[in-house]
Structures are given as C-alpha cells and as structure tokens.
Amino acid sequence: MKKTYDAIIIGGGVIGGSILYELTKRGLRVLLLEQGRLVRGASSAAAGMIAAQTEFDADGPLFRLALQSRSIFQEKVEELQQFSKLNVGYVKSGIIKVATQAEEITRLHRMNQAHQSVGERSSWLSTVQLRSMEPNVNINAIVSALLHERDAQIIAPNWSHAYLEASRALGATILENIDIIQLSLNKNQIRGVETSVGIFSSENVILATGVNKPNDRICKQLQFDWPVFPVKGEAFSVRSADSIINHSIVASNVYLVPKSDGRIIVGATMQPNQYDFEVDTQSINTLLQRAVQLVPSIQAYEIESTWAGHRPTTPDHLPLLGELKSINGMFIANGFFRNGILMSPIAGELMAALVSKTAWNSNFDLKPFDPHRFTNQVAKGTLIP
Ligand code: GLY
C-alpha cells in the first residue's frame, strides 16, 4: 500500500466523500480514513432534501452558499452516477413549504421576499392548485403554501456512497475501522496521521468527522477548542405502493419526503446536545400526528423503519470551513447542521480549491465560516451551545 498521499481526509460521511471526490478528480492522490463504518452518521439519517430555499427564511452567507450548491447538483448527480454506477434517486420536483397557523404566514412572506431579492423563484399555491398537485393533502390544515420549484431531493445514503464509490473508481483509497491515534507534526506543519494500521504521510489533512470529536491528544495538537455539538433528530419511514404525495411537504414542525424508492420519510425532531441513538415512541407519535394532520392517508401504512441521527452544528449554526491557524496544511470542514446533503457539492469544491491552492469563486467571503471564530468564547467559558 502506498503510504504517502497528497491529502488525507478523516471522516467517511457525505462531506468527507465530497472532498475526496473533488480532490481525486483534480488528479491528487487522496486517502480517506473512517474510524467506524462509512456513511453511518448524519449522512445516513438525512431525509435528503436539497432545500436551498425551503431551509432558509432570510438572506445570509450560508443561504448564498446553499444556492450555489444547489445550482451544481445536477451536474454532480450525472458525474457521480456515471462513475459510481449507483442510483442516487435525484428528484427535481420542488418542495412545498406550508403554513399551518395564521401567524406563520408573515414568516412565509418574509422568506419569499428574501428569496426574490436575490432572484430566486417561488410560487404561491392557491387551494385549487395545491389540491390538484397533492390530492391527498388535508387542505383544511394548510393556511398558505409556497412552492420552491428549484429545490429538490435525493436518497441521502446512496448519495454519500456515490461520492465514495466514484472516488474509488477514480483511484482514491478508502479505509474503514481505522483508529486515528495522533497527528504527525513537524513544528507547525502537518506531516500525516498515525493510525492503528500505521503511519500515513501527507502535507494536507482534512477533518470532516461530523459530531465525532477527535481524541484528546489530537485536540491538544490542533490547539483548537472543538465548538461542534450534535442536534439529534428522530425520523421514521413508511412504504406506500401508491404515491400518496408527489412533492416534499415541509411545515414548521414536520416534513414528509416521498423518495423515488417508494418510501415516505417523515422527520424530524430537534434535540440539542443529545448523543444517544434512542428513538422515543413519544417523538415518533408526535411526528406521526403532525404528518397525519397534513396527509391523513399516511395512517393507512405501516411504519417501516425508525432511526435517530446527529446533525453536527456550531453555536451560530454556520459551518467551519478552512485551514487551522495553528498547523499548516490542517483543514476542517464540519458543522453543516441541517444541510449536509444540500451543501456537499459546494463543500467538496470549496475545500478542494483550498487544499490544492487553486482558484475558487473569489467573490465569496469565507469569513463567516472561519473555524476560529469561537476561540475567545471557548477561552472565556462562554460558549453555550
Ligand atoms: N434537513 C432536515 C433536517 O435536518 O431535519
């Protein structure tokens, strides 16, 4: 096995996979190390909405990045399906955002204005239009509906595996179940990674471990206080032979996502700082009741599966993207919160540009994603997730 690489990525989820793919595509020799099994974290739990408009109700740096990411999704899907031979279930039918309470209408209008101010399209749906698009929706439960035509969805685990398989097909090396012991350093230059199966050398190492904090020894080496914490989400799926909904439908406290493989995913709870994987019957019951309120016929189907995942986030809910000041060649890409799948194409391109020191969209200000922006708060003990 060749042990020297142009870059080493730690973390085998969708973000690690996207960076692996983009670097490999650019001709670099890249190794990805995963401490457990591939695609077992947030990437496998995600409902897979590509909700660049639906998830953002105001303009801001992450919204702009999300729009860019959505705009390159189609081309990535084509590339990845070709190289990986996997079907990723990409569906571009839009997402319907609904208000179920009168007081949510103002928020929906503000969201629409924010999107229109940057040239994004959305359409208000009349009752007649909504009924004809979604005959099984309970019109009485909905006070307003906005269709984000350009939003889409994908099967999240397949998408994450497609990144990894496409990278492998292009020559990348991927190793699972590897213990990362410590970093190899020469003063403030990264030299590689010491693992349970030996030392791998590289002048570039990228941490994309989601909610999995590196061990204490590595945190000390990084001189970087870890600001990432989980927001646990529980979800369930039903399988329906007939398509009871045609679009993803998102309300403020529940969403239903009809997948191209016949499942409907219903999600998801939001529980900050919960590290366990337990699925509470009360949570599923609450989600089910909300889903039934919107689409009554869903109660005719059996629950196929329930699960919990951990969205990696930071105190301001913006990601950490860039090189660490303390160690040359040490990068981090983490904290994509509710949007890891949506952001994966742009995260891969951006990190590949930073690591390979090639040009990227220079108009884009990366300061809001500075990995060190919480350092003072951590030192003062005021970092309260
Ligand atoms: N993106 C949906 C969620 O995080 O639940």
Side-chain angles (χ1 to χ4, degrees):
M1 192 189 307
K2 217 182 283 162
K3 293 214 165 181
T4 299
Y5 295 88
D6 296 318
I8 297 173
I9 296 158
I10 303 176
V14 74
I15 298 299
S18 68
I19 301 166
L20 179 70
Y21 174 73
E22 295 298 341
L23 285 171
T24 306
K25 202 175 106 177
R26 285 158 178 71
L28 276 70
R29 279 171 304 124
V30 194
L31 167 69
L32 183 141
L33 300 170
E34 163 56 48
Q35 311 220 49
R37 304 286 307 280
L38 298 167
V39 191
R40 282 296 158 95
S43 313
S44 70
M49 280 184 286
I50 301 163
Q53 287 177 253
T54 309
E55 279 278 343
F56 294 88
D57 52 15
D59 194 5
L62 195 59
F63 172 57
R64 298 295 178 111
L65 208 56
L67 292 176
Q68 282 203 29
S69 201
R70 188 186 62 183
S71 74
I72 55 173
F73 232 101
Q74 171 87 49
E75 74 189 57
K76 295 292 169 201
V77 166
E78 283 161 20
E79 284 178 31
L80 293 192
Q81 292 197 145
Q82 184 199 337
F83 290 128
S84 71
K85 314 276 181 247
L86 292 174
N87 175 8
V88 298
Y90 181 56
V91 180
K92 272 175 87 177
S93 57
I95 298 182
I96 303 175
K97 174 95 178 174
V98 298
T100 55
Q101 314 277 338
E103 53 271 26
E104 289 171 8
I105 297 176
T106 320
R107 199 159 359 126
L108 220 49
H109 276 277
R110 246 188 275 125
M111 174 187 239
N112 190 35
Q113 275 160 11
H115 297 168
Q116 287 193 338
S117 72
V118 296
E120 288 304 322
R121 220 177 33 220
S122 36
S123 317
W124 293 104
L125 298 178
S126 67
T127 306
V128 172
Q129 284 169 317
L130 181 57
R131 194 177 278 133
S132 97
M133 287 167 73
E134 293 295 351
N136 290 311
V137 156
N138 174 16
I139 296 289
N140 297 329
I142 293 171
V143 292
S144 196
L146 190 57
L147 173 66
H148 296 133
E149 290 109 338
R150 292 174 179 164
D151 280 352
Q153 57 131 323
I154 205 152
I155 299 175
N158 295 20
W159 178 242
S160 310
H161 280 293
Y163 263 126
L164 296 165
E165 289 312 314
S167 305
R168 241 197 275 258
L170 294 179
T173 306
I174 298 174
L175 300 176
E176 296 180 81
N177 296 314
I178 303 294
D179 271 347
I180 312 293
I181 297 166
Q182 63 177 355
L183 305 172
S184 302
L185 296 171
N186 183 357
K187 297 194 180 121
N188 65 342
Q189 171 61 53
I190 191 84
R191 291 282 184 234
V193 181
E194 288 183 40
T195 76
S196 48
V197 294
I199 297 178
F200 299 100
S201 302
S202 183
E203 303 276 300
N204 297 294
V205 173
I206 304 110
L207 273 178
T209 55
V211 291
N212 297 317
K213 185 178 174 179
N215 69 30
D216 289 348
R217 199 187 299 183
I218 295 177
C219 282
K220 211 178 255 173
Q221 289 181 305
L222 293 173
Q223 300 168 52
F224 177 69
D225 292 292
W226 190 253
V228 179
F229 64 98
V231 178
K232 178 181 162 185
E234 293 151 292
F236 70 89
S237 62
V238 300
R239 188 171 287 279
S240 76
D242 351 290
S243 44
I244 57 173
I245 50 172
N246 307 309
H247 302 80
S248 303
I249 300 174
V250 177
S252 61
N253 56 12
V254 71
Y255 51 75
L256 296 91
V257 186
K259 309 309 291 184
S260 63
D261 58 11
R263 291 171 303 142
I264 298 177
I265 294 180
V266 179
T269 58
M270 292 276 283
Q271 299 161 67
N273 276 312
Q274 296 288 314
Y275 285 83
D276 66 272
F277 284 94
E278 275 159 36
V279 180
D280 194 44
T281 46
Q282 182 61 47
S283 303
I284 298 303
N285 192 26
T286 305
L287 289 172
L288 179 60
Q289 282 178 26
R290 292 171 182 163
V292 167
Q293 179 74 8
L294 290 174
V295 184
S297 48
I298 198 170
Q299 61 196 319
Y301 299 93
E302 277 177 30
I303 291 182
E304 179 198 57
S305 177
T306 64
W307 63 91
H310 300 113
R311 308 169 179 93
T313 195
T314 66
D316 59 9
H317 297 310
L318 296 179
L320 310 170
L321 290 172
E323 190 170 8
L324 296 189
K325 281 185 199 141
S326 44
I327 306 175
N328 293 333
M330 186 79 221
F331 296 84
I332 187 164
N334 204 338
F336 284 97
F337 191 29
R338 296 175 60 93
N339 302 302
I341 300 296
L342 160 67
M343 301 303 285
S344 53
I346 206 73
E349 288 203 351
L350 164 60
M351 292 307 297
L354 293 181
V355 170
S356 63
K357 297 187 172 44
T358 49
W360 192 65
N361 180 352
S362 54
N363 298 331
F364 213 92
D365 179 16
L366 292 178
K367 244 206 189 93
F369 314 123
D370 180 353
H372 295 281
R373 66 189 182 278
F374 303 113
T375 305
N376 291 339
Q377 282 164 272
V378 174
K380 285 193 216 132
T382 56
L383 186 92
I384 304 163

